[in-house]
């Protein structure tokens, strides 16, 4: 089958859910037996989001091959359940960086380098590459930003050219736009959508499908007819995307309007009806939740929940499999002190400390780990959350009062977390970063083995500092076990405290591999332990 290209654009305002629309379509097409690849084109000039503050753009999502990407790729992987790669995210910065590098090497043979054709050709080569690399039947490409933005124009011109090159029968444009509801007049307004489609057509792109985003259900069906007429699309190609209570209901909600049927019709794809039985079983599990467990998520970017999007989603996935609603208590670690910790964490059933960089809020994370250990509260530490648990154990159990990380206290005599010897002296910070999937060997008879049910796994990393092997024996002699290592045994990947009901820290990011229809094993077991802790507390209250 000839590869089909679907482009998803947005109009009127940002944040309408282009990513969820693209991800939902990907799930529906996969359920029809098609091989789907997805990618996001971002107009910002950063080469990738790796150096951006989470407050700017939310979390950095890491792929199997170590690409630092936009958080929308997390939606793609969670919905489509296919591993993405370095061709799945492109920024303006990366485009210009690649073009300038080619110009310096003389690849353009002295030509004057211009936006058209050189910048647009670079974008097109990236779009084609993801399909070739994954041998996909369908490539879904989301264009970041909003139609009308100056920085989006080269990307829009590139996808227009792709449509011309592959032919109209092999390309499709889906435009997601806002249909606002005015409470004063109690009616939806179609004019913003009309103007947005007009803006898109002025750039040479005719939308094939209009997806209408509205918080209020669009009950006036004349809106659909009006948009179809003035936006030059077929009447059944105007589809409503309304606000729903559970994100993962989106594919079935969109399919009520025959979304994937219409897409297959327009692209001349002959595929069976989507088999959404597994997805429906997952939704049934969501509906069957009958208890609520409180999880304290202790981080320093909690004011913007998107900074920990994959962590929060992985917790909810684990809740689905434990029939539990997850009540996340977003706790700023800068506010955690030895005086406030009981007030902030006293009511939670589980404590999760996620990753991060820099020393702001680190002491609060250390106190959170200590509180979990001393009160036998289930604890899951991720990346820096593992490292702070190690530092706390070194200070309060091993007696190394100055124990710290070389990242925060290079003068410490007990740097239990530090750069490995072969990392030292490398100036380029990216040169010392472990990114992407690495194997982990699991120790028998541990929480790790019980959770995974296997002796070796591969998990994604995004960090620079490691456990300092000089202190291994002191930790093991005093009750902290190293339960996951690199296959050669040199790098510590996971630590546990066997005397606790559930206390584990992992150097990697398990949240990136969690899916709504099969939760990550560590999150599943962490939530299970937290539910047991909740039940214990309730039993004690009932008994008293």
């Amino acid at each position: 089958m000839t590869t089909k290209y679907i482009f998803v654009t947005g109009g009127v305002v940002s944040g309408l859910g282009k990513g969820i629309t693209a991800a939902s379509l990907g799930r529906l097409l996969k359920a029809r037996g098609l091989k789907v690849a997805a990618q996001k084109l971002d107009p910002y000039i950063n080469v990738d989001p790796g150096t951006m503050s989470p407050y700017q753009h939310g979390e950095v999502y890491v792929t199997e091959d170590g690409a630092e990407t936009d958080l929308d790729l997390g939606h793609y992987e969670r919905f489509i359940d296919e591993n993405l790669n370095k061709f799945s995210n492109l920024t303006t910065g990366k485009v210009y960086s690649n073009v300038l590098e080619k110009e310096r090497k003389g690849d353009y043979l002295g030509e004057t380098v211009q936006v058209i054709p050189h910048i647009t050709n670079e974008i097109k080569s990236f779009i084609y590459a993801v399909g070739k690399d994954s041998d996909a039947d369908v490539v879904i490409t989301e264009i970041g930003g909003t139609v009308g933005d100056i920085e989006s124009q080269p990307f829009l011109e590139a996808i227009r050219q792709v449509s011309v090159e592959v032919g109209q029968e092999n390309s499709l444009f889906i435009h997601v736009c806002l249909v606002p509801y005015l409470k004063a007049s109690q009616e939806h307004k179609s004019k913003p959508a009309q103007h947005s489609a007009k803006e898109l057509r002025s750039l040479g792109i005719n939308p094939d499908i209009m997806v209408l985003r509205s918080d209020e259900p669009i009950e006036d069906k004349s809106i659909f007819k009006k948009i179809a007429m003035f936006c030059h699309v077929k009447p059944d190609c105007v589809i409503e995307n309304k606000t729903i209570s559970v994100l993962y209901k989106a594919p079935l909600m969109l399919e009520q309007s025959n979304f994937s049927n219409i897409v297959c019709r327009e692209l001349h794809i002959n595929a069976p009806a989507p088999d959404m039985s597994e997805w429906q079983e997952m939704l049934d599990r969501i509906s069957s939740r009958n208890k609520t467990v409180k999880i304290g998520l202790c981080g320093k970017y909690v004011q913007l929940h998107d900074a920990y999007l994959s962590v929060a989603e992985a917790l909810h996935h684990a809740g689905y499999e434990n029939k539990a609603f997850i009540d996340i208590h977003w706790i700023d670690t800068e506010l955690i002190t030895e005086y406030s910790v009981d007030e902030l964490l006293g009511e939670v059933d589980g404590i999760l400390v996620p990753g991060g960089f820099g020393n702001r809020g680190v002491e609060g994370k250390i106190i959170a780990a200590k509180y979990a250990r001393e009160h036998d509260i289930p604890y899951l530490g991720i990346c820096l959350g593992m490292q702070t648990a190690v530092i706390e154990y070194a200070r309060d159990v091993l007696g190394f009062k100055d124990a710290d990380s070389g990242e925060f206290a290079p003068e410490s005599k007990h740097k239990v977390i530090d750069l490995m010897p072969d990392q030292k002296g490398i100036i380029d910070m990216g040169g010392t970063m472990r990114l992407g999937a690495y194997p982990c060997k699991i120790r028998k008879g541990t929480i790790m083995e019980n959770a995974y049910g296997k002796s070796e796994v591969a998990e994604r990393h995004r960090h620079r500092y490691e456990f300092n092997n000089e202190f291994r024996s002191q930790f093991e002699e005093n009750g902290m076990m190293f339960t996951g290592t690199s296959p050669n045994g040199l790098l510590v990947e996971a630590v546990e405290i066997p005397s606790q009901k559930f206390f584990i820290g992992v150097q990697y990011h398990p949240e990136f591999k969690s899916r709504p229809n099969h939760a990550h094993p560590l999150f599943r077991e962490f939530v299970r332990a937290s539910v047991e802790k909740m039940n214990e507390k309730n039993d004690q209250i009932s008994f008293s």
Side-chain angles (χ1 to χ4, degrees):
M1 175 175 138
T2 302
T3 301
K4 308 290 185 176
Y5 294 88
I6 299 173
F7 301 103
V8 181
T9 57
V12 187
V13 296
S14 60
L16 288 178
K18 297 191 305 294
I20 298 301
T21 300
S24 296
L25 178 58
R27 164 51 67 171
L28 290 167
L29 294 178
K30 182 180 179 180
R32 285 177 170 266
L34 300 170
K35 186 168 179 53
V36 180
Q39 64 181 179
K40 173 83 179 289
L41 308 185
D42 277 305
Y44 52 73
I45 298 177
N46 303 66
V47 172
D48 60 45
T51 58
M52 294 167 66
S53 165
Y55 286 131
Q56 289 286 310
H57 223 252
E59 74 174 3
V60 174
Y61 192 83
V62 178
T63 60
E64 285 283 292
D65 59 357
E68 295 178 285
T69 70
D70 181 80
L71 58 80
D72 271 324
L73 269 69
H75 290 313
Y76 302 160
E77 285 205 353
R78 286 187 285 272
F79 276 73
I80 305 172
D81 198 11
E82 295 285 346
N83 289 333
L84 303 180
N85 56 39
K86 63 184 179 180
F87 297 115
S88 300
N89 196 201
L90 181 68
T91 68
T92 294
K94 189 178 292 184
V95 171
Y96 275 85
S97 178
N98 291 349
V99 168
L100 289 172
E101 183 179 352
K102 290 178 181 178
E103 186 272 334
R104 291 289 86 187
K105 291 193 301 183
D107 288 3
Y108 299 122
L109 303 176
E111 292 181 20
T112 300
V113 179
Q114 298 174 293
V115 173
I116 301 173
H118 301 95
I119 296 299
T120 51
N121 283 350
E122 187 70 21
I123 296 169
K124 288 191 298 182
S125 68
F126 198 87
I127 293 170
Y128 292 133
V130 71
K132 292 177 183 176
D133 184 75
S134 59
D135 194 28
D137 298 316
V138 180
V139 176
I140 301 174
T141 303
E142 176 192 350
I143 312 301
T146 306
V147 170
D149 295 344
I150 292 174
E151 57 264 34
S152 297
Q153 289 180 3
F155 292 102
L156 295 171
E157 171 58 20
I159 65 175
R160 185 197 68 78
Q161 292 180 22
V162 169
S163 179
V164 172
E165 290 170 2
V166 303
Q168 195 170 7
E169 69 280 6
N170 295 317
S171 61
L172 185 80
F173 293 101
I174 298 174
H175 192 50
V176 182
C177 53
L178 179 68
V179 177
Y181 179 78
L182 299 186
K183 289 186 178 180
S185 58
Q186 296 186 338
E187 60 181 341
H188 286 89
K189 291 294 184 181
S190 66
K191 201 64 81 175
Q194 294 178 43
H195 281 293
S196 182
K198 180 181 178 183
E199 180 77 25
L200 195 58
R201 289 199 306 275
S202 73
L203 299 171
I205 296 173
N206 295 305
D208 300 290
I209 297 175
M210 297 285 289
V211 175
L212 312 184
R213 185 73 178 87
S214 177
D215 281 336
E216 300 287 338
I218 304 174
E219 296 176 355
D220 181 1
K221 300 309 175 186
S222 68
I223 293 284
F224 295 88
K225 294 179 181 177
K226 186 183 294 184
I227 288 176
M229 178 180 293
F230 288 106
C231 297
H232 302 284
V233 299
K234 297 174 183 177
D236 66 348
C237 288
V238 182
I239 293 172
E240 183 179 9
N241 183 353
K242 57 192 174 187
T243 300
I244 49 179
S245 57
V246 176
L247 190 65
Y248 301 110
K249 291 181 179 179
L252 294 180
M253 180 265 291
L254 290 167
E255 191 63 3
Q256 289 174 358
S257 300
N258 296 312
F259 191 27
S260 70
N261 283 335
I262 293 167
V263 167
C264 288
R265 182 192 73 199
E266 297 299 305
L267 286 172
H268 309 284
I269 296 173
N270 183 16
D275 179 4
M276 296 293 285
S277 55
E278 182 189 4
W279 201 258
Q280 185 60 58
E281 288 172 8
M282 178 263 294
L283 293 176
D284 292 341
R285 287 197 297 273
I286 294 175
S287 299
S288 69
R289 291 174 291 173
N290 55 17
K291 50 189 169 286
T292 300
V293 63
K294 300 173 184 175
I295 302 297
L297 196 159
C298 306
K300 63 179 180 179
Y301 303 114
V302 293
Q303 287 81 7
L304 179 67
H305 294 179
D306 273 0
Y308 303 109
L309 179 60
S310 290
V311 173
E313 288 302 307
L315 283 170
H316 291 304
H317 302 163
Y320 304 158
E321 296 193 18
N322 284 284
K323 294 187 176 181
F325 291 91
I326 305 297
D327 179 11
I328 299 177
H329 291 218
W330 299 89
I331 300 168
D332 187 342
T333 51
E334 286 194 279
L335 303 179
I336 300 178
T337 67
E338 59 180 308
Y339 304 106
S340 66
V341 64
D342 193 64
E343 178 186 352
L344 293 172
L345 295 175
E347 297 298 317
V348 303
D349 306 306
I351 294 173
L352 189 152
V353 177
F357 293 89
N359 60 3
R360 183 171 63 84
V362 162
E363 288 301 319
K365 293 186 177 187
I366 292 171
I367 294 170
K370 180 179 181 179
Y371 191 83
R373 180 178 60 80
E374 292 185 340
H375 292 79
D376 203 8
I377 299 172
Y379 178 88
L380 177 58
I382 296 173
C383 196
L384 184 57
M386 183 203 93
Q387 296 179 359
T388 50
V390 166
I391 294 169
E392 185 278 320
Y393 207 82
R395 290 180 184 179
D396 298 309
V397 178
L398 274 61
F400 301 150
K401 298 304 179 184
D402 72 332
D404 218 313
S405 167
E407 180 181 5
F408 312 131
E411 73 287 350
S412 170
K413 294 181 180 179
H414 297 93
K415 293 191 284 289
V416 292
I417 304 295
D418 204 3
L419 292 175
M420 298 298 285
D422 59 349
Q423 292 175 304
K424 294 178 179 177
I426 299 177
I427 297 174
D428 180 8
M429 294 182 76
T432 61
M433 184 86 81
R434 254 210 298 167
L435 282 168
Y438 287 85
C440 171
K441 184 173 65 176
I442 297 173
R443 190 167 174 172
K444 290 184 177 180
T446 61
I447 295 173
M448 288 275 287
E449 186 189 45
N450 178 61
Y452 285 103
K454 56 180 71 173
S455 60
E456 187 169 309
V457 295
E459 294 282 5
R460 302 180 194 179
H461 292 247
R462 184 177 182 251
H463 67 98
R464 184 170 295 107
Y465 287 78
E466 309 276 358
F467 178 86
N468 189 341
N469 288 323
E470 293 178 18
F471 298 96
R472 270 205 202 187
S473 60
Q474 291 100 315
F475 277 86
E476 292 234 302
E477 289 165 5
N478 286 277
M480 180 172 275
M481 184 186 295
F482 302 103
T483 58
T485 63
S486 56
N488 62 10
L490 292 179
L491 300 174
V492 171
E493 303 284 25
V495 299
E496 298 178 20
I497 303 178
S499 61
Q500 306 282 303
K501 288 187 176 68
F502 188 101
F503 192 105
I504 184 167
V506 291
Q507 185 59 80
Y508 49 81
H509 289 267
E511 68 270 24
F512 293 146
K513 300 188 82 166
S514 186
R515 305 289 182 260
N517 49 335
H518 45 91
H520 190 281
L522 290 181
F523 278 88
R524 182 193 66 227
E525 296 306 309
F526 168 64
V527 169
R528 180 174 295 167
S530 299
V531 169
E532 291 174 358
K533 183 69 175 180
M534 176 191 69
N535 291 336
E536 286 178 13
K537 287 160 60 176
N538 291 340
D539 289 343
Q540 290 172 0
I541 293 171
S542 299
F543 183 76
S544 60

